[in-house]
Amino acid sequence: MKKKVTFRFYEELNDFLPADKKKIRFDHYFIDRASVKDMIESLGVPHTEIDMILVNGNSVSFGYIVESLDITNIQHLRSKPLREPKFIADAHLGSLARYLRMLGFDVLYKNNITDTEIIEASLNDKRAILTKDRELLKNNKITHGYWIRNEETEEQVKEVITRFDLKNDIREFTRCIECNNILEVIEKEKIKDRLPSKVKQWQNEFRYCKHCDKIYWKGTHYNRMLDIIRKIRQNV
Ligand SMILES: [Zn+2]
C-alpha cells in the first residue's frame, strides 16, 4: 500500500530540490519502510548537508524509520566541525583548490583522483570533502563534506569560507598553490640568479616551496589575490 509523508526542506537544502519542491511542503509517496536518511537522499539531498531532521516537531537521527514512533531527544546530525580545517577537493575543483591554498588552507587535490581515494583521504586524514558530485556525499562512511553550489571559483571560495566559518583563518601567501606544501621565507641572495630582472630589481620578500622548488614573490598575482581576499572578507 502506498503511504504518504510530507517534507519541507529549509535554507540551503533547497539548492538540491527541483523548483516545484523548493521552500514548500510537498507530499512524498513510498511503499517500503525506509530510514529518513535514505528517503531524504532519494530526493537528492546528501546527508552531509543536513544539520537537523524534525519529525512532527521532534528531532530524529538519520536511522529513524519513517512511520515508527520512537522519538529521541534533540540531536544535531552534522558532525562537529573539524578542529583544524583540512580539505580534499574532487577532480573537478582544481581551481578552487588553488584559491584555497592561496588563502593558506590545506587542500589535497589530484586531477585524476577516484571517489574511493577521496573517501579514504577524508576518513584517514580527517579532511572535509569538497565536491560538485552530490552522489559522492551520500556515501554512508562520509562524515564531513560539502556540496559546492557555484560554478565560478571566487563564489566557490566564498561558499567554503562561509560554510566552514574560516574568515579568521585566512593566512594568505603561506602555502604552495601548486603542491599544498607550507612555504618558507627565503633570502633574496640565495635565489637572485633565478629571478626575472624586474623582480630582482623591485621585490625583496620571497617565499620558497621546498617540495616543488617554486619561488613566490608579491607580484601581480599577489595583488590580484589581495583584491580577492578583500572581496571575500567583505562578503562572508
Ligand atoms: Zn610546492
Side-chain angles (χ1 to χ4, degrees):
M1 202 182 84
K2 232 158 97 175
K3 295 161 196 145
K4 187 179 87 171
V5 59
T6 306
F7 279 103
R8 162 72 157 95
F9 288 85
Y10 287 88
E11 305 297 340
E12 68 267 28
L13 297 179
N14 287 285
D15 296 347
F16 297 95
L17 299 175
D20 63 340
K21 293 195 165 76
K22 283 185 200 292
K23 294 181 181 176
I24 53 160
R25 290 166 67 89
F26 62 89
D27 293 339
H28 175 71
Y29 294 91
F30 64 101
I31 294 168
D32 296 324
R33 284 158 44 98
S35 71
V36 69
K37 172 188 181 288
D38 287 347
M39 213 170 265
I40 287 171
E41 289 196 327
S42 76
L43 292 164
V45 182
H47 70 283
T48 51
E49 298 282 324
I50 296 165
D51 185 44
M52 192 187 278
I53 302 170
L54 298 175
V55 175
N56 300 328
N58 298 289
S59 83
V60 300
S61 70
F62 286 127
Y64 175 84
I65 302 294
V66 177
E67 263 203 336
S68 87
L69 292 171
D70 56 321
I71 301 286
T72 44
N73 294 324
I74 285 278
Q75 44 191 318
H76 285 270
L77 300 174
R78 195 183 287 162
S79 306
K80 283 203 177 63
L82 299 167
R83 209 177 331 142
E84 191 192 339
K86 288 194 290 187
F87 302 97
I88 179 153
D90 82 19
H92 305 287
L93 295 172
S95 180
L96 173 63
R98 293 169 64 89
Y99 268 63
L100 289 172
R101 287 171 179 172
M102 183 169 88
L103 300 178
F105 297 112
D106 181 345
V107 186
L108 278 195
Y109 168 77
K110 276 201 307 187
N111 59 11
N112 55 355
I113 198 160
T114 64
D115 285 359
T116 316
E117 287 175 306
I118 290 176
I119 293 168
E120 271 171 21
S122 167
L123 297 176
N124 297 340
D125 207 13
K126 297 205 165 37
R127 291 178 179 275
I129 297 173
L130 303 175
T131 182
K132 285 203 71 70
D133 175 7
R134 68 173 86 166
E135 292 308 311
L136 173 64
L137 293 180
K138 291 179 184 176
N139 188 299
N140 284 330
K141 291 189 211 154
I142 298 175
T143 54
H144 295 85
Y146 173 71
W147 183 63
I148 300 289
R149 271 75 165 164
N150 283 283
E151 294 300 328
E152 210 272 316
T153 311
E154 278 181 40
E155 293 303 317
Q156 294 176 341
V157 173
K158 286 182 208 160
E159 280 184 49
V160 174
I161 303 278
T162 307
R163 162 67 185 266
F164 294 91
D165 194 20
L166 301 175
K167 201 176 171 178
N168 298 320
D169 298 316
I170 296 175
R171 308 276 181 272
E172 65 268 20
F173 203 46
T174 56
R175 195 174 285 273
C176 181
I177 292 171
E178 303 300 332
C179 77
N180 201 38
N181 198 39
I182 299 274
L183 298 176
E184 49 193 67
V185 175
I186 191 163
E187 286 167 33
K188 189 176 183 176
E189 197 53 32
K190 289 187 181 160
I191 42 143
K192 65 174 200 290
D193 297 341
R194 292 178 55 188
L195 301 173
S197 61
K198 271 201 174 149
V199 173
K200 195 153 50 180
Q201 200 178 345
W202 296 107
Q203 302 289 338
N204 291 304
E205 222 185 293
F206 298 90
R207 303 267 168 116
Y208 176 67
C209 176
K210 246 188 203 168
H211 187 254
C212 63
D213 193 39
K214 193 175 155 75
I215 300 164
Y216 290 84
W217 58 85
K218 295 179 174 177
T220 26
H221 256 58
Y222 180 75
N223 289 323
R224 210 170 65 88
M225 179 169 105
L226 288 185
D227 274 351
I228 295 169
I229 294 168
R230 224 181 342 261
K231 267 196 265 171
I232 289 171
R233 289 214 161 107
Q234 282 163 1
N235 285 298
V236 294

